[in-house]
Coordinates of all heavy atoms in Angstrom, one line a residue:
V1 N 0.9 -1.2 0.0 CA 0.0 0.0 0.0 C 0.9 1.2 0.0 O 1.8 1.3 0.8 CB -0.9 0.0 1.2 CG1 -1.7 1.3 1.3 CG2 -1.8 -1.2 1.2
T2 N 0.6 2.2 -0.9 CA 1.4 3.4 -1.0 C 0.5 4.6 -0.8 O -0.6 4.7 -1.5 CB 2.1 3.5 -2.4 OG1 2.9 2.3 -2.6 CG2 2.9 4.7 -2.5
G3 N 0.8 5.5 0.1 CA 0.1 6.7 0.2 C 0.7 7.8 -0.7 O 1.9 7.8 -0.8
A4 N -0.1 8.6 -1.3 CA 0.4 9.6 -2.2 C -0.4 10.9 -2.0 O -1.6 10.9 -1.7 CB 0.2 9.1 -3.6
S5 N 0.3 12.0 -2.3 CA -0.3 13.3 -2.3 C -1.1 13.6 -3.6 O -2.1 14.4 -3.6 CB 0.7 14.4 -2.1 OG 1.4 14.3 -0.9
F6 N -0.7 12.9 -4.6 CA -1.4 13.1 -5.9 C -1.2 11.9 -6.8 O -0.3 11.1 -6.5 CB -0.9 14.4 -6.7 CG 0.5 14.3 -7.1 CD1 0.9 13.7 -8.3 CD2 1.5 14.7 -6.2 CE1 2.2 13.7 -8.7 CE2 2.8 14.7 -6.6 CZ 3.2 14.1 -7.9
V7 N -2.1 11.7 -7.8 CA -2.0 10.6 -8.7 C -2.1 11.2 -10.1 O -3.0 12.0 -10.4 CB -3.1 9.6 -8.5 CG1 -3.0 8.4 -9.5 CG2 -3.1 9.0 -7.1
V8 N -1.3 10.8 -11.0 CA -1.3 11.2 -12.4 C -1.6 9.9 -13.2 O -0.9 8.9 -13.1 CB 0.0 11.8 -12.9 CG1 0.0 12.1 -14.3 CG2 0.3 13.1 -12.1
F9 N -2.6 10.0 -14.1 CA -2.9 8.9 -15.0 C -2.5 9.4 -16.4 O -3.0 10.4 -16.9 CB -4.4 8.5 -15.0 CG -4.8 8.0 -13.7 CD1 -5.5 8.7 -12.8 CD2 -4.6 6.6 -13.4 CE1 -5.9 8.2 -11.5 CE2 -4.9 6.1 -12.1 CZ -5.6 6.9 -11.2
N10 N -1.5 8.7 -17.0 CA -1.0 9.0 -18.3 C -1.5 8.0 -19.3 O -1.1 6.8 -19.2 CB 0.5 9.0 -18.2 CG 1.2 9.4 -19.5 OD1 0.6 9.3 -20.6 ND2 2.5 9.7 -19.5
G11 N -2.3 8.4 -20.2 CA -2.9 7.4 -21.2 C -2.1 7.3 -22.5 O -2.7 6.9 -23.5
A12 N -0.8 7.5 -22.4 CA 0.0 7.4 -23.7 C 0.8 6.1 -23.8 O 1.6 6.0 -24.7 CB 0.9 8.6 -23.7
L13 N 0.6 5.1 -22.9 CA 1.4 3.9 -23.0 C 1.0 3.1 -24.2 O -0.2 2.9 -24.4 CB 1.2 3.1 -21.7 CG 2.0 1.8 -21.6 CD1 3.5 2.1 -21.4 CD2 1.5 0.9 -20.5
K14 N 1.9 2.7 -25.0 CA 1.7 2.0 -26.3 C 1.5 0.5 -25.9 O 2.2 0.0 -25.1 CB 2.8 2.2 -27.3 CG 3.1 3.6 -27.6 CD 2.1 4.2 -28.5 CE 2.5 5.6 -28.9 NZ 1.4 6.5 -29.1
T15 N 0.6 -0.2 -26.6 CA 0.4 -1.6 -26.4 C 1.7 -2.4 -26.9 O 2.0 -3.4 -26.3 CB -0.8 -2.1 -27.2 OG1 -0.7 -1.7 -28.5 CG2 -2.1 -1.6 -26.6
S16 N 2.4 -1.8 -27.8 CA 3.7 -2.4 -28.2 C 4.8 -2.4 -27.2 O 5.8 -3.0 -27.4 CB 4.2 -1.8 -29.5 OG 4.4 -0.4 -29.3
S17 N 4.6 -1.7 -26.1 CA 5.6 -1.6 -25.0 C 5.8 -2.9 -24.3 O 6.8 -3.1 -23.6 CB 5.3 -0.5 -24.0 OG 4.1 -0.9 -23.2
G18 N 4.8 -3.8 -24.4 CA 4.9 -5.1 -23.7 C 4.4 -5.0 -22.2 O 4.4 -6.0 -21.5
F19 N 3.8 -3.8 -21.8 CA 3.3 -3.7 -20.5 C 1.8 -3.5 -20.5 O 1.3 -2.9 -21.4 CB 3.9 -2.5 -19.8 CG 5.3 -2.7 -19.3 CD1 6.4 -2.4 -20.2 CD2 5.6 -3.2 -18.1 CE1 7.7 -2.5 -19.8 CE2 6.9 -3.4 -17.7 CZ 8.0 -3.1 -18.5
L20 N 1.1 -4.1 -19.5 CA -0.3 -3.8 -19.3 C -0.4 -2.4 -18.8 O -1.3 -1.7 -19.2 CB -0.9 -4.8 -18.3 CG -0.8 -6.3 -18.6 CD1 -1.1 -7.1 -17.4 CD2 -1.8 -6.5 -19.7
A21 N 0.4 -2.0 -17.8 CA 0.4 -0.7 -17.2 C 1.7 -0.6 -16.4 O 2.3 -1.6 -16.1 CB -0.8 -0.4 -16.4
K22 N 2.1 0.6 -16.1 CA 3.3 0.9 -15.3 C 3.0 1.9 -14.2 O 2.3 2.9 -14.5 CB 4.4 1.5 -16.2 CG 5.1 0.6 -17.2 CD 6.0 1.5 -17.9 CE 7.1 0.8 -18.7 NZ 8.0 1.7 -19.3
S23 N 3.5 1.6 -13.0 CA 3.3 2.6 -12.0 C 4.6 3.0 -11.4 O 5.5 2.2 -11.4 CB 2.4 2.1 -10.9 OG 3.0 1.0 -10.2
S24 N 4.8 4.3 -11.0 CA 6.1 4.7 -10.5 C 5.8 5.9 -9.5 O 4.9 6.6 -9.7 CB 7.0 5.1 -11.5 OG 6.5 6.1 -12.4
I25 N 6.6 5.9 -8.5 CA 6.5 7.0 -7.5 C 7.3 8.2 -8.1 O 8.4 8.1 -8.5 CB 7.1 6.6 -6.2 CG1 6.2 5.5 -5.6 CG2 7.2 7.8 -5.2 CD1 6.8 4.8 -4.4
V26 N 6.6 9.4 -8.1 CA 7.2 10.6 -8.6 C 7.0 11.7 -7.5 O 5.9 12.0 -7.1 CB 6.4 11.1 -9.9 CG1 6.9 12.4 -10.4 CG2 6.4 10.0 -10.9
E27 N 8.2 12.1 -7.0 CA 8.2 13.0 -5.8 C 7.3 12.4 -4.7 O 7.6 11.3 -4.2 CB 7.8 14.4 -6.2 CG 8.8 15.0 -7.2 CD 8.5 16.4 -7.5 OE1 7.8 17.1 -6.8 OE2 9.1 16.9 -8.5
D28 N 6.2 13.1 -4.3 CA 5.4 12.5 -3.2 C 4.0 12.0 -3.8 O 3.0 12.0 -3.1 CB 5.2 13.5 -2.1 CG 4.5 14.8 -2.6 OD1 4.5 15.0 -3.8 OD2 3.9 15.5 -1.8
G29 N 4.0 11.6 -5.1 CA 2.8 11.2 -5.7 C 3.0 9.9 -6.5 O 4.1 9.3 -6.4
L30 N 2.1 9.5 -7.3 CA 2.1 8.3 -8.0 C 1.7 8.6 -9.5 O 0.7 9.3 -9.7 CB 1.1 7.3 -7.5 CG 1.0 5.9 -8.1 CD1 2.2 5.1 -7.9 CD2 -0.2 5.2 -7.6
M31 N 2.5 8.1 -10.4 CA 2.2 8.2 -11.8 C 1.9 6.8 -12.4 O 2.6 5.9 -12.1 CB 3.3 8.8 -12.7 CG 2.9 8.9 -14.1 SD 4.1 9.8 -15.2 CE 5.5 8.7 -15.2
V32 N 0.7 6.7 -13.0 CA 0.3 5.4 -13.6 C 0.2 5.6 -15.1 O -0.6 6.4 -15.6 CB -1.1 5.0 -13.0 CG1 -1.4 3.6 -13.5 CG2 -1.0 5.0 -11.5
Q33 N 1.0 4.9 -15.8 CA 1.0 4.9 -17.3 C 0.1 3.8 -17.8 O 0.4 2.6 -17.5 CB 2.4 4.8 -17.9 CG 3.3 5.9 -17.4 CD 4.8 5.6 -17.9 OE1 5.0 5.2 -19.0 NE2 5.7 5.9 -17.1
I34 N -0.9 4.1 -18.6 CA -1.9 3.1 -19.0 C -2.1 3.4 -20.5 O -1.8 4.4 -21.1 CB -3.2 3.2 -18.3 CG1 -3.8 4.7 -18.3 CG2 -3.0 2.8 -16.8 CD1 -5.1 4.9 -17.6
T35 N -2.7 2.4 -21.2 CA -3.0 2.5 -22.6 C -4.3 3.4 -22.8 O -5.0 3.7 -21.8 CB -3.3 1.1 -23.2 OG1 -4.5 0.6 -22.5 CG2 -2.1 0.2 -23.1
R36 N -4.5 3.8 -24.0 CA -5.6 4.7 -24.3 C -6.9 3.9 -24.0 O -7.9 4.6 -23.5 CB -5.6 5.1 -25.8 CG -6.6 6.1 -26.1 CD -6.5 6.5 -27.6 NE -7.0 5.3 -28.3 CZ -7.1 5.2 -29.6 NH1 -6.8 6.2 -30.4 NH2 -7.6 4.1 -30.2
E37 N -7.0 2.6 -24.3 CA -8.2 1.9 -24.0 C -8.5 1.8 -22.5 O -9.7 1.9 -22.1 CB -8.1 0.5 -24.6 CG -8.0 0.4 -26.1 CD -6.6 0.7 -26.6 OE1 -5.6 0.8 -25.9 OE2 -6.5 1.0 -27.8
T38 N -7.5 1.6 -21.7 CA -7.6 1.6 -20.2 C -8.1 2.9 -19.7 O -8.9 3.0 -18.8 CB -6.3 1.1 -19.6 OG1 -6.0 -0.2 -20.1 CG2 -6.5 1.0 -18.1
M39 N -7.5 4.0 -20.3 CA -7.9 5.4 -19.9 C -9.4 5.6 -20.2 O -10.1 6.2 -19.3 CB -7.1 6.4 -20.7 CG -7.4 7.8 -20.3 SD -7.1 8.3 -18.6 CE -5.4 8.8 -18.7
E40 N -9.9 5.1 -21.3 CA -11.3 5.3 -21.6 C -12.2 4.5 -20.6 O -13.2 5.0 -20.1 CB -11.6 4.8 -23.0 CG -11.0 5.7 -24.1 CD -11.1 5.1 -25.5 OE1 -11.7 4.1 -25.7 OE2 -10.5 5.7 -26.4
S41 N -11.7 3.3 -20.2 CA -12.5 2.5 -19.2 C -12.4 3.2 -17.9 O -13.4 3.2 -17.1 CB -11.9 1.1 -19.1 OG -12.0 0.4 -20.4
L42 N -11.3 3.7 -17.5 CA -11.1 4.4 -16.2 C -12.0 5.7 -16.2 O -12.7 5.9 -15.2 CB -9.7 4.9 -16.0 CG -9.4 5.8 -14.8 CD1 -9.8 5.1 -13.5 CD2 -7.9 6.2 -14.8
R43 N -12.1 6.4 -17.3 CA -13.0 7.6 -17.3 C -14.4 7.2 -17.1 O -15.2 7.8 -16.4 CB -12.8 8.3 -18.6 CG -11.5 9.1 -18.7 CD -11.4 9.8 -20.0 NE -10.2 10.6 -20.1 CZ -9.7 11.0 -21.2 NH1 -10.3 10.8 -22.4 NH2 -8.6 11.8 -21.2
Q44 N -14.8 6.1 -17.8 CA -16.2 5.7 -17.6 C -16.5 5.2 -16.2 O -17.5 5.5 -15.6 CB -16.5 4.5 -18.6 CG -18.0 4.2 -18.7 CD -18.9 5.3 -19.1 OE1 -18.6 6.0 -20.1 NE2 -19.9 5.6 -18.3
A45 N -15.5 4.5 -15.6 CA -15.7 4.1 -14.2 C -15.8 5.2 -13.3 O -16.7 5.2 -12.3 CB -14.6 3.2 -13.8
L46 N -15.0 6.3 -13.5 CA -15.1 7.5 -12.7 C -16.5 8.2 -12.8 O -17.1 8.6 -11.9 CB -14.0 8.4 -13.0 CG -12.6 8.0 -12.6 CD1 -11.5 8.9 -13.1 CD2 -12.5 7.8 -11.1
R47 N -17.0 8.3 -14.1 CA -18.3 8.9 -14.3 C -19.4 8.1 -13.6 O -20.3 8.7 -13.1 CB -18.6 8.9 -15.8 CG -17.9 10.0 -16.6 CD -18.4 10.1 -18.0 NE -17.3 10.6 -18.8 CZ -16.6 9.9 -19.7 NH1 -16.8 8.6 -19.9 NH2 -15.6 10.4 -20.4
D48 N -19.3 6.8 -13.6 CA -20.3 5.9 -13.0 C -20.1 5.7 -11.5 O -20.8 5.0 -10.9 CB -20.3 4.5 -13.7 CG -20.7 4.6 -15.2 OD1 -21.3 5.6 -15.6 OD2 -20.3 3.7 -15.9
K49 N -19.0 6.2 -11.0 CA -18.6 6.1 -9.6 C -18.5 4.6 -9.2 O -19.0 4.1 -8.2 CB -19.6 6.8 -8.7 CG -19.6 8.3 -8.8 CD -20.5 8.9 -7.8 CE -20.4 10.5 -8.0 NZ -21.2 11.1 -7.0
K50 N -17.7 3.9 -10.1 CA -17.5 2.5 -9.8 C -16.0 2.2 -9.5 O -15.1 3.0 -10.0 CB -17.8 1.7 -11.1 CG -19.2 1.9 -11.6 CD -19.9 0.6 -11.6 CE -21.4 0.9 -12.0 NZ -22.2 -0.2 -11.8
D51 N -15.7 1.2 -8.7 CA -14.3 0.9 -8.4 C -13.7 0.4 -9.7 O -14.3 -0.1 -10.6 CB -14.3 -0.2 -7.4 CG -14.8 0.2 -6.0 OD1 -15.0 1.4 -5.8 OD2 -15.0 -0.7 -5.1
F52 N -12.4 0.6 -9.7 CA -11.6 0.2 -10.9 C -10.2 -0.3 -10.5 O -9.6 0.3 -9.6 CB -11.5 1.5 -11.9 CG -11.0 1.2 -13.2 CD1 -11.8 0.6 -14.2 CD2 -9.7 1.4 -13.6 CE1 -11.4 0.3 -15.5 CE2 -9.2 1.1 -14.9 CZ -10.1 0.6 -15.8
R53 N -9.8 -1.3 -11.2 CA -8.5 -1.9 -10.9 C -7.6 -1.9 -12.2 O -8.0 -2.3 -13.2 CB -8.6 -3.3 -10.4 CG -7.2 -4.0 -10.3 CD -7.3 -5.4 -9.7 NE -7.3 -5.2 -8.2 CZ -7.0 -6.2 -7.4 NH1 -6.9 -7.4 -7.8 NH2 -7.0 -5.9 -6.1
I54 N -6.4 -1.3 -12.0 CA -5.4 -1.3 -13.1 C -4.3 -2.3 -12.7 O -3.7 -2.2 -11.6 CB -4.8 0.1 -13.2 CG1 -5.9 1.1 -13.6 CG2 -3.7 0.1 -14.3 CD1 -5.5 2.5 -13.6
T55 N -4.1 -3.3 -13.6 CA -3.1 -4.3 -13.4 C -1.8 -3.8 -14.0 O -1.8 -3.5 -15.2 CB -3.5 -5.6 -14.0 OG1 -4.8 -6.0 -13.4 CG2 -2.5 -6.7 -13.7
C56 N -0.7 -3.8 -13.2 CA 0.6 -3.3 -13.7 C 1.5 -4.5 -13.9 O 1.5 -5.4 -13.1 CB 1.2 -2.3 -12.8 SG 0.2 -0.8 -12.5
G57 N 2.3 -4.4 -15.0 CA 3.3 -5.5 -15.2 C 3.4 -5.8 -16.7 O 2.7 -5.2 -17.5
E58 N 4.3 -6.7 -17.0 CA 4.5 -7.1 -18.4 C 3.4 -8.0 -18.8 O 2.8 -8.8 -18.1 CB 5.8 -7.8 -18.5 CG 7.0 -6.9 -18.2 CD 8.3 -7.6 -18.5 OE1 8.5 -8.3 -19.5 OE2 9.2 -7.4 -17.6
M59 N 3.0 -7.9 -20.1 CA 2.0 -8.7 -20.7 C 2.3 -10.2 -20.7 O 1.5 -11.0 -20.4 CB 1.7 -8.3 -22.1 CG 1.0 -7.0 -22.2 SD 0.6 -6.6 -23.9 CE 0.1 -4.9 -23.8
D60 N 3.5 -10.5 -21.1 CA 3.9 -11.9 -21.3 C 4.1 -12.8 -20.1 O 3.9 -14.0 -20.1 CB 5.2 -12.0 -22.1 CG 5.0 -11.4 -23.5 OD1 3.8 -11.3 -24.0 OD2 6.0 -10.9 -24.1
T61 N 4.4 -12.1 -18.9 CA 4.7 -12.9 -17.7 C 3.4 -13.1 -16.9 O 2.6 -12.2 -16.9 CB 5.7 -12.2 -16.8 OG1 5.2 -10.9 -16.4 CG2 7.0 -12.0 -17.5
G62 N 3.2 -14.2 -16.4 CA 2.0 -14.5 -15.5 C 2.2 -13.9 -14.1 O 1.3 -14.0 -13.3
D63 N 3.4 -13.4 -13.8 CA 3.7 -12.9 -12.5 C 3.4 -11.4 -12.4 O 4.2 -10.6 -12.7 CB 5.2 -13.2 -12.2 CG 5.6 -12.8 -10.8 OD1 4.8 -12.8 -9.9 OD2 6.8 -12.3 -10.7
V64 N 2.2 -11.1 -12.0 CA 1.8 -9.7 -11.8 C 2.1 -9.3 -10.4 O 1.8 -10.0 -9.4 CB 0.3 -9.6 -12.1 CG1 -0.2 -8.2 -11.9 CG2 -0.1 -10.0 -13.5
K65 N 2.8 -8.2 -10.3 CA 3.3 -7.7 -9.0 C 2.5 -6.6 -8.4 O 2.5 -6.4 -7.2 CB 4.7 -7.4 -9.1 CG 5.6 -8.5 -9.5 CD 7.0 -8.1 -9.6 CE 7.9 -9.2 -10.1 NZ 9.2 -8.9 -10.6
E66 N 1.9 -5.8 -9.2 CA 1.2 -4.5 -8.7 C -0.2 -4.3 -9.2 O -0.4 -4.7 -10.4 CB 2.1 -3.3 -9.1 CG 3.4 -3.3 -8.5 CD 4.2 -2.1 -8.9 OE1 3.7 -1.2 -9.6 OE2 5.4 -2.0 -8.5
Y67 N -1.0 -3.7 -8.4 CA -2.3 -3.3 -8.8 C -2.5 -1.8 -8.4 O -2.0 -1.5 -7.3 CB -3.4 -4.1 -8.2 CG -3.4 -5.6 -8.6 CD1 -2.9 -6.5 -7.8 CD2 -4.0 -6.0 -9.8 CE1 -2.9 -7.9 -8.2 CE2 -4.0 -7.3 -10.2 CZ -3.4 -8.2 -9.4 OH -3.4 -9.5 -9.7
V68 N -3.2 -1.0 -9.1 CA -3.6 0.3 -8.7 C -5.1 0.2 -8.6 O -5.8 0.0 -9.6 CB -3.2 1.4 -9.7 CG1 -3.7 2.7 -9.2 CG2 -1.7 1.4 -9.8
D69 N -5.6 0.3 -7.4 CA -7.1 0.2 -7.2 C -7.7 1.6 -6.9 O -7.2 2.3 -6.0 CB -7.4 -0.7 -6.0 CG -7.1 -2.2 -6.3 OD1 -7.5 -2.7 -7.3 OD2 -6.6 -2.8 -5.4
I70 N -8.7 1.9 -7.6 CA -9.4 3.2 -7.4 C -10.7 2.7 -6.7 O -11.5 2.0 -7.3 CB -9.7 4.0 -8.7 CG1 -8.4 4.4 -9.3 CG2 -10.6 5.2 -8.4 CD1 -7.9 3.6 -10.4
C71 N -10.9 3.1 -5.5 CA -12.1 2.7 -4.7 C -12.9 3.8 -4.2 O -12.4 4.8 -3.7 CB -11.6 1.8 -3.5 SG -10.6 0.4 -3.9
W72 N -14.2 3.7 -4.4 CA -15.1 4.7 -3.9 C -15.5 4.3 -2.5 O -15.7 3.1 -2.2 CB -16.4 4.8 -4.8 CG -16.1 5.4 -6.1 CD1 -15.6 4.7 -7.2 CD2 -16.1 6.8 -6.4 NE1 -15.4 5.6 -8.2 CE2 -15.7 6.9 -7.8 CE3 -16.5 7.9 -5.7 CZ2 -15.7 8.1 -8.5 CZ3 -16.4 9.1 -6.4 CH2 -16.0 9.2 -7.8
V73 N -15.6 5.3 -1.6 CA -16.0 5.0 -0.2 C -17.3 5.7 0.1 O -17.6 6.7 -0.4 CB -14.8 5.4 0.8 CG1 -13.6 4.6 0.6 CG2 -14.5 6.9 0.7
E74 N -18.0 5.2 1.1 CA -19.3 5.7 1.5 C -19.1 6.8 2.5 O -19.8 7.8 2.5 CB -20.2 4.6 2.0 CG -20.4 3.5 1.1 CD -21.8 3.2 0.9 OE1 -22.7 3.8 1.5 OE2 -22.1 2.3 0.0
N75 N -18.1 6.7 3.4 CA -18.0 7.6 4.5 C -16.8 8.6 4.2 O -15.7 8.1 4.2 CB -17.8 6.9 5.8 CG -17.8 7.8 7.0 OD1 -18.0 9.0 6.9 ND2 -17.7 7.2 8.2
E76 N -17.1 9.8 4.1 CA -16.0 10.8 3.9 C -15.8 11.6 5.2 O -16.0 12.8 5.2 CB -16.4 11.8 2.7 CG -16.5 11.1 1.4 CD -16.8 12.0 0.3 OE1 -16.5 13.2 0.4 OE2 -17.4 11.6 -0.7
E77 N -15.4 10.9 6.2 CA -15.3 11.5 7.5 C -14.5 12.8 7.5 O -15.0 13.8 7.2 CB -14.7 10.6 8.5 CG -15.7 9.6 8.9 CD -15.2 8.6 10.0 OE1 -14.1 8.8 10.5 OE2 -15.9 7.7 10.3
K78 N -13.4 12.9 7.7 CA -12.6 14.2 7.9 C -12.0 14.6 6.6 O -10.8 14.5 6.5 CB -11.6 14.1 9.0 CG -12.3 13.7 10.3 CD -11.3 13.4 11.4 CE -12.1 13.1 12.7 NZ -11.2 12.7 13.8
T79 N -12.8 15.1 5.7 CA -12.2 15.6 4.4 C -11.9 17.1 4.5 O -12.4 17.8 5.3 CB -13.1 15.4 3.2 OG1 -14.4 16.0 3.5 CG2 -13.4 13.9 3.0
N80 N -11.0 17.5 3.7 CA -10.6 18.9 3.6 C -11.7 19.7 2.9 O -11.9 19.5 1.7 CB -9.3 19.1 2.9 CG -8.8 20.5 2.9 OD1 -9.5 21.4 3.3 ND2 -7.6 20.7 2.3
K81 N -12.4 20.5 3.6 CA -13.6 21.2 3.0 C -13.1 22.6 2.5 O -14.0 23.3 2.0 CB -14.6 21.4 4.1 CG -15.1 20.1 4.6 CD -16.4 20.2 5.3 CE -16.6 18.8 5.9 NZ -17.9 18.3 5.9
G82 N -11.9 22.9 2.5 CA -11.3 24.2 2.0 C -11.0 24.3 0.6 O -11.1 23.7 -0.3

């Protein structure tokens, strides 16, 4: 589990790269590189307020090491209202 101050979703990852998606820590945030198709699915999930999982790793290996989960929560207890 990684805590981050911000998340950047970059939809420019080419399918020819051999990766499903890539995630990396950038300063105090997280950058997730995804394909254009995954970006479209992510946008739709955000519009519909549905949870979404991005699987990171190489396409050819069955050994997946990372997931980026976007989860909606019901209780927004102490959020920054400013």
Side-chain angles (χ1 to χ4, degrees):
V1 175
T2 301
S5 297
F6 63 90
V7 178
V8 174
F9 294 101
N10 178 344
L13 185 69
K14 305 285 185 213
T15 52
S16 61
S17 71
F19 285 91
L20 297 166
K22 291 174 159 183
S23 65
S24 55
I25 295 173
V26 180
E27 295 185 17
D28 61 341
L30 179 69
M31 181 171 68
V32 184
Q33 297 177 40
I34 55 179
T35 62
R36 190 181 69 174
E37 294 81 12
T38 304
M39 180 65 87
E40 291 171 8
S41 299
L42 172 59
R43 286 180 178 162
Q44 189 59 51
L46 292 172
R47 283 187 208 105
D48 297 340
K49 295 185 178 180
K50 302 240 178 195
D51 293 350
F52 192 78
R53 173 174 271 194
I54 299 170
T55 304
C56 298
E58 294 183 43
M59 287 184 194
D60 297 337
T61 63
D63 184 30
V64 177
K65 297 178 184 165
E66 296 179 1
Y67 296 99
V68 176
D69 290 316
I70 295 101
C71 303
W72 291 88
V73 295
E74 303 230 357
N75 189 356
E76 296 183 25
E77 285 181 8
K78 299 175 182 177
T79 59
N80 182 355
K81 302 198 186 216

